[in-house]
Amino acid sequence: MSSLSVRTLAAQVFLLQAVIVLLVVAVSAAALVLQGRYDAQRNAADRSLAAAESFAHAPGTVLALRTNATAQLQAATEQAQKGSGVDFLSVLDRDGVRIADTDPTLVGSKASGLGRATAGEAVTQPFHGRPHDAVRAVVPVLDAGRRVIGMIAAGIQYETLGHVLDQQLPMLLGAAALAVVLATAGTALVSRRLLRQTHGLGPAEMTRMYDHHDAVLHAVREGVLIIGDDGRLLLANDEARRLLGLPATTDQRHVADLGLGPGLTRMLMAGAAASDEVIRVGDRLLAVNIRPTAPYGGAPGLVATFRDTTDLAALSGQAEVARGRLAFLYEAGTRIGTTLDVERTAEELAEVAVPRLADVVTVELLDSVLHGEEPTGAVHRMRRTALRESRTGHPLQPVGDLIRFVVADTPMVAALQRGKAVLVPDLHTAQDWRAQDPEGARQALEYGIHSLITVPLRARGVVLGIVNFWRGTGSPRFEDEDVAVAEELVARAAVAIDNARRFSREHALAVTLQRSLLPLDLPDQDVLEIASRYLPARSGVGGDWFDVIPLPGFRVALVVGDIVGHGLHAAVTMGRLRTAVLNFSSLDLAPDELLGHLDEMVTRLDSQTATAGDDHAPLTGATCLYAVYDPVAGTCALSRAGHVAPAVVDAQGTVTFPDVPLSPPLGVGDHPFEAGELRLAEGSRLVLFTDGLIENQGRDVDEGLAVLRSTIGHAGQTPEETCRALMEALLPEHPNDDVALLVARTRLLDPSRVATWDVPSEVRAVSEVRADVSRRLDEWGLQDTVFSTELILSELLTNAIRYGAPPVRVRMLLGPTLVCEVSDGSNTSPRLRRAATTDEGGRGLFLVSQFAHRWGTRYAPQGKVIWAEQTLDQSPDPDPTALFDAMAW
């Protein structure tokens, strides 16, 4: 410590820290003393209050105060004072007069400062007076009525508190002294360490330090200039002289005379702060930083530093090029494959590459890829699918041309054989690419094309096509770095094209299946003029379908349905439901009964699917509308399971949406189906459709119905015109949901071709009705059918009279065929059977089946109808042998 002179930095630090430590210790000791005094007073107050409250609430205190038992209270007071450790304890009446006190000389004297206590409040307060200055607590004594009958005062003298503090003070002072010693020792150690680090800096040491700093200044790879406020150069290190080309004799020269160039000279003379300003000086790019020295305590002037960034700029340029390529590939990933269309995806590839990568891009694909089929191994023939150029007038083959690769030396064939890109940097000097089409190559060179990259378009290891990138006039030739970008771009496009191809194949397969399951042609019938449309969804076929089913009695059933979901599963499900409807319609059921059977079938199929663990979607939720049009009565019975209601357009063009009862979708179960009936005048149009016609992403159902109403609300529109108008008005080119549409214009059967007879329930009435029917057939010019019709009528009418129930009715209908209907009130249906030789009956229906083209039974709300239909152009020839056997009995 002999070198710890007051002039050294270490001595000054030691003195400063010692003073600070003493002040801190003194303040801390004073704070501890005050805190101890406060704590002692607080503790005395708490103890006094506890003693007073204990005495006030002790048993017998209240009684002693009431009876003024001074002797008893005096003894209790002295005992309580000794037990509680307080300095004095007094019992006072409600007027403050001492009744008992630990100092007997004070008994009978009056205490002061009891105002709050006489009001019933316990009080803790400093007290000055007799018997001692103390911390006193006064607690009121309350009787059963909560009235103050006396008070208890207890206290601890200040002198007692002083004794406590006197006992604590040596410990506090000892701790403070110890803190001073420790802090002083620590400060001495710090000062000693500082002394060792500075080595007691003197002139020689400062000189050496300056020399060291000067060496560092000239050794750093960053130029430094120090310029005075008069613009003269004060210091320049070696790096600054090298970067700026300064001679050795430049000190004290003005900045304007250094030949630094106009830009740098202007910055230095301005004296404004600058950060990494890039300035060209000669053939170098220098990053310049300028800071004034005045704010840092130095003489007025500035310091300028220079860093050579020429190489860094080159690297930054390369990094910028790399970032640009990454951004280009990222953008390509978002722009290529936005649709699932093969040709559009190829066009997107060409659009992305021009002009950022090439001036002209051509994309050739295999015909099998364009058709959605698996790519074949024959890659020598491709179809030009996309072409994009930055300027018009190119000499390349247009889109749609067939490109043949027949010469093995061309870059395209080489790329296909190698499975990787081929670069031709300079087409002027290359000869192999001219081999296949020398004239086309000459025209391309004249157009300005001079560089080529050809890349095979491969996915899953299979060639889908080839992509050619061409550069022309004004663009640099392709380099190896461009090949990597082109390959990455084509690889991404190949995945998108292959996805589009596979989607096209699956979509075509699903559409083919869907259309094969729909009616290939509408059946022949004369009572409805019908037109239909089916349009698959953009994302794949769905389960929408329609059907037209001729029924007996010239009636026609119209069906429209919708299956939940899209794809092959929906199409197959649609086929199952359509087949079920065809089968149920052969039973000639009412619409609500038919939907009930269909609902049971859907529920059963869903149960089987769930039991089998099939991951296919359930059928529950399918909708269907089934309508039966009767041209004789001019009525249409309808029932719908969760389906949209049809539209009806009368002959004047008025559009209505009838309130047909709505039942739950198929498969919900436990809900009966209801049917409604419409009366349709001749020439009315019945429009049945699925929800895809009126609802899409940009339009809700109400808006769609409004457009539909305005589109079909025209008199004289044919069903075909109605379908065409609805397709144009309501549907985009690629709808989001598939659409089924069925439009039927009604016709009525001429009343002159309908004959009806009510038949009494008597066998003799058969001959009378048979004679009336024969006369009517003569009027219709059907003499050739009289025999067979009489035979059929006799058998059916006899069965109805014998085995049925009244009323019995016969109806003859003449249309494309002749229909004979016999109805009765019984629900028992006859059935065809082979009668034994010994049977007396059972051959009537067999005879009917031999002479009629078709026959059957349908149930009415009350009873049944047995019908037989005969063709008019040719009558069936019954089997003579079978007929003889039937008549032999």
Side-chain angles (χ1 to χ4, degrees):
M1 297 293 289
S2 60
S3 61
L4 194 61
S5 174
V6 73
R7 295 183 179 181
T8 64
L9 178 62
Q12 294 174 0
V13 170
F14 174 79
L15 293 176
L16 178 62
Q17 289 186 344
V19 171
I20 293 174
V21 167
L22 290 174
L23 289 176
V24 170
V25 170
V27 171
S28 300
L32 290 174
V33 171
L34 293 176
Q35 182 65 38
R37 182 176 181 84
Y38 173 80
D39 292 340
Q41 290 181 355
R42 187 64 185 170
N43 182 47
D46 293 339
R47 288 170 56 195
S48 300
L49 180 63
E53 286 182 341
S54 299
F55 196 96
H57 299 150
T61 301
V62 175
L63 181 60
L65 285 172
R66 283 180 176 177
T67 57
N68 200 14
T70 303
Q72 181 182 354
L73 288 174
Q74 181 64 31
T77 299
E78 293 176 354
Q79 185 180 1
Q81 185 265 334
K82 293 178 182 179
S84 61
V86 296
D87 291 336
F88 65 89
L89 184 66
S90 301
V91 180
L92 303 92
D93 62 10
R94 62 175 301 165
D95 296 325
V97 177
R98 293 181 175 89
I99 301 174
D101 196 294
T102 53
D103 185 359
T105 61
L106 296 178
V107 174
S109 64
K110 186 175 183 179
S112 61
L114 305 176
R116 292 167 59 189
T118 57
E121 179 181 357
V123 179
T124 301
Q125 57 188 189
F127 171 73
H128 300 281
R130 297 181 65 189
H132 306 285
D133 293 342
V135 176
R136 185 184 67 174
V138 183
V139 176
V141 179
L142 306 178
D143 62 4
R146 307 300 295 175
R147 289 173 301 182
V148 178
I149 61 175
M151 290 167 283
I152 306 299
I156 297 177
Q157 301 178 25
Y158 285 130
E159 183 179 357
T160 304
L161 297 180
H163 290 310
V164 174
L165 291 177
D166 291 342
Q167 295 173 0
Q168 296 178 350
L169 189 58
M171 184 176 60
L172 291 176
L173 294 178
L178 180 61
V180 170
V181 171
L182 293 176
T184 303
T187 302
L189 292 175
V190 172
S191 299
R192 186 180 183 85
R193 182 178 180 85
L194 183 60
L195 180 63
R196 286 199 307 268
Q197 292 177 346
T198 58
H199 301 288
L201 292 177
E205 289 81 2
M206 291 296 295
T207 300
R208 286 195 300 271
M209 185 181 68
Y210 173 80
D211 293 339
H212 176 71
H213 289 174
D214 189 56
V216 172
L217 178 67
H218 292 287
V220 295
R221 299 294 296 172
E222 187 167 352
V224 178
L225 292 182
I226 300 178
I227 301 172
D229 59 347
D230 57 355
R232 295 184 178 276
L233 180 62
L234 300 179
L235 182 145
N237 70 347
D238 293 344
E239 184 68 9
R241 296 180 186 278
R242 185 184 71 84
L243 294 177
L244 302 176
L246 299 176
T249 59
T250 55
D251 292 347
Q252 298 302 320
R253 292 177 60 179
H254 199 276
V255 173
D257 301 330
L258 298 178
L260 301 178
L264 181 56
T265 301
R266 190 183 314 111
M267 289 182 63
L268 295 176
M269 293 182 65
S275 296
D276 289 333
E277 292 285 343
V278 179
I279 300 295
R280 178 172 291 278
V281 179
D283 58 350
R284 291 187 175 92
L285 293 175
L286 302 181
V288 182
N289 290 274
I290 298 177
R291 292 291 184 274
T293 59
Y296 305 100
L302 59 89
V303 176
T305 61
F306 308 91
R307 188 174 63 256
D308 191 355
T309 62
T310 305
D311 296 337
L312 181 60
L315 293 175
S316 298
Q318 296 175 5
E320 187 64 29
V321 171
R323 283 195 297 270
R325 288 172 176 169
L326 289 175
F328 168 66
L329 292 175
Y330 174 78
E331 180 183 349
T334 60
R335 292 177 56 185
I336 298 175
T338 59
T339 66
L340 289 174
D341 182 84
V342 174
E343 295 183 8
R344 179 55 192 155
T345 304
E347 293 172 357
E348 290 172 343
L349 167 60
E351 291 171 358
V352 168
V354 176
R356 297 180 62 177
L357 181 60
D359 296 319
V360 182
V361 174
T362 60
V363 181
E364 286 83 50
L365 297 178
L366 296 171
D367 281 336
S368 57
V369 174
L370 290 172
H371 297 151
E373 303 170 0
E374 286 293 333
T376 63
V379 296
H380 60 279
R381 293 174 41 151
M382 296 186 187
R383 186 77 56 183
R384 178 149 292 171
T385 308
L387 189 152
R388 186 82 172 184
E389 76 281 358
S390 58
R391 60 188 179 95
T392 59
H394 66 85
L396 303 179
Q397 292 175 258
V399 173
D401 275 15
L402 186 65
I403 309 298
R404 300 176 184 272
F405 305 104
V406 295
V407 179
D409 292 337
T410 62
M412 293 75 173
V413 175
L416 292 172
Q417 290 176 348
R418 300 175 190 173
K420 61 181 182 179
V422 172
L423 168 64
V424 184
D426 190 354
L427 294 175
H428 291 89
T429 59
Q431 298 297 324
D432 52 1
W433 76 286
R434 309 171 190 243
Q436 181 164 324
D437 186 6
E439 179 59 24
R442 183 188 63 80
Q443 294 177 3
L445 291 174
E446 291 178 354
Y447 175 74
I449 293 176
H450 61 79
S451 192
L452 164 69
I453 296 177
T454 180
V455 186
L457 203 154
R458 297 163 57 90
R460 298 180 294 113
V462 180
V463 175
L464 307 178
I466 195 167
V467 183
N468 298 310
F469 301 90
W470 313 82
R471 279 186 179 174
T473 303
S475 299
R477 68 181 188 177
F478 285 116
E479 303 292 344
D480 292 336
E481 293 81 2
D482 299 314
V483 175
V485 177
E487 286 184 325
E488 179 65 23
L489 178 64
V490 173
R492 297 188 182 195
V495 174
I497 289 176
D498 189 54
N499 289 339
R501 177 196 64 79
R502 297 170 68 181
F503 171 80
S504 298
R505 180 188 62 185
E506 294 178 3
H507 183 71
L509 178 63
V511 169
T512 302
L513 175 62
Q514 172 82 339
R515 294 193 182 278
S516 67
L517 295 174
L518 289 171
L520 300 179
D521 195 8
L522 298 178
D524 293 332
Q525 46 81 36
D526 292 340
V527 299
L528 291 174
E529 180 185 354
I530 297 178
S532 63
R533 291 288 190 279
Y534 172 76
L535 189 64
R538 175 179 57 186
S539 59
V541 298
D544 291 14
W545 94 93
F546 65 87
D547 214 342
V548 179
I549 307 172
L551 298 177
F554 305 136
R555 295 170 303 124
V556 178
L558 304 176
V559 189
V560 174
D562 186 358
I563 304 297
V564 177
H566 295 87
L568 290 176
H569 178 67
V572 171
T573 302
M574 178 273 293
R576 299 169 77 178
L577 290 190
R578 178 172 177 257
T579 302
V581 172
L582 285 171
N583 290 334
F584 289 143
S585 66
S586 65
L587 302 177
D588 212 347
L589 301 173
D592 54 336
E593 295 181 18
L594 185 142
L595 290 185
H597 287 291
L598 193 63
D599 179 69
E600 292 178 3
M601 188 201 79
V602 168
T603 303
R604 186 165 56 253
L605 290 177
D606 277 348
S607 300
Q608 294 174 355
T609 301
T611 304
D614 196 347
D615 59 353
H616 288 165
L619 304 183
T620 302
T623 66
C624 183
L625 188 149
Y626 186 82
V628 177
Y629 174 67
D630 187 349
V632 178
T635 60
C636 181
L638 304 92
S639 184
R640 57 187 181 125
H643 203 83
V644 291
V648 177
V649 189
D650 61 19
Q652 289 73 37
T654 303
V655 182
T656 59
F657 295 95
D659 186 16
V660 180
L662 177 62
S663 301
L666 299 175
V668 175
D670 298 330
H671 292 276
F673 289 89
E674 300 180 63
E677 186 173 272
L678 306 178
R679 183 164 297 277
L680 302 176
E682 187 166 12
S684 300
R685 279 172 289 158
L686 187 63
V687 182
L688 288 75
F689 52 89
T690 56
D691 56 1
L693 179 68
I694 58 174
E695 185 178 11
N696 58 37
Q697 293 179 349
R699 181 180 60 226
D700 59 20
V701 175
D702 293 336
E703 293 174 345
L705 290 175
V707 176
L708 183 142
R709 180 191 296 272
S710 62
T711 303
I712 65 177
H714 303 285
Q717 262 188 349
T718 65
E720 183 64 30
E721 292 172 344
T722 303
C723 287
R724 188 182 309 114
L726 287 175
M727 291 289 112
E728 294 174 354
L730 287 168
L731 292 181
E733 183 178 357
H734 299 289
N736 295 321
D737 194 6
D738 49 344
V739 176
L741 173 64
L742 191 62
V743 181
R745 183 158 63 182
T746 61
R747 298 169 183 160
L748 294 178
L749 192 63
D750 192 340
S752 63
R753 293 176 173 265
V754 180
T756 305
W757 294 271
D758 290 324
V759 182
S761 298
E762 300 176 358
V763 176
R764 60 184 179 83
V766 174
S767 59
E768 298 176 1
V769 175
R770 188 170 56 227
D772 292 340
V773 169
S774 299
R775 285 192 293 272
R776 181 56 61 93
L777 293 177
D778 288 338
E779 295 175 3
W780 287 345
L782 301 177
Q783 292 81 3
D784 294 341
T785 63
V786 171
F787 173 75
S788 59
T789 303
E790 288 184 347
L791 178 61
I792 292 171
L793 179 63
S794 297
E795 294 298 334
L796 297 182
L797 190 56
T798 301
N799 281 340
I801 294 175
R802 286 181 176 178
Y803 306 113
V808 179
R809 175 172 293 180
V810 174
R811 187 171 72 166
M812 302 295 296
L813 305 176
L814 177 60
T817 59
L818 179 64
V819 177
C820 176
E821 296 180 348
V822 177
S823 62
D824 67 83
S826 172
N827 290 324
T828 304
S829 175
R831 60 186 181 87
L832 181 65
R833 65 182 180 89
R834 178 173 292 278
T837 305
T838 57
D839 290 345
E840 296 184 0
R843 297 172 176 82
L845 291 181
F846 175 76
L847 294 176
V848 171
S849 67
Q850 292 296 309
F851 284 94
H853 179 67
R854 294 189 305 161
W855 76 278
T857 303
R858 71 173 182 270
Y859 290 97
Q862 295 180 349
K864 66 179 180 296
V865 177
I866 306 177
W867 55 271
E869 182 179 328
Q870 303 175 74
T871 57
L872 300 179
D873 52 350
Q874 57 178 2
S875 300
D877 295 329
D879 183 0
T881 303
L883 188 61
F884 180 77
D885 291 341
M887 299 296 293
W889 66 276

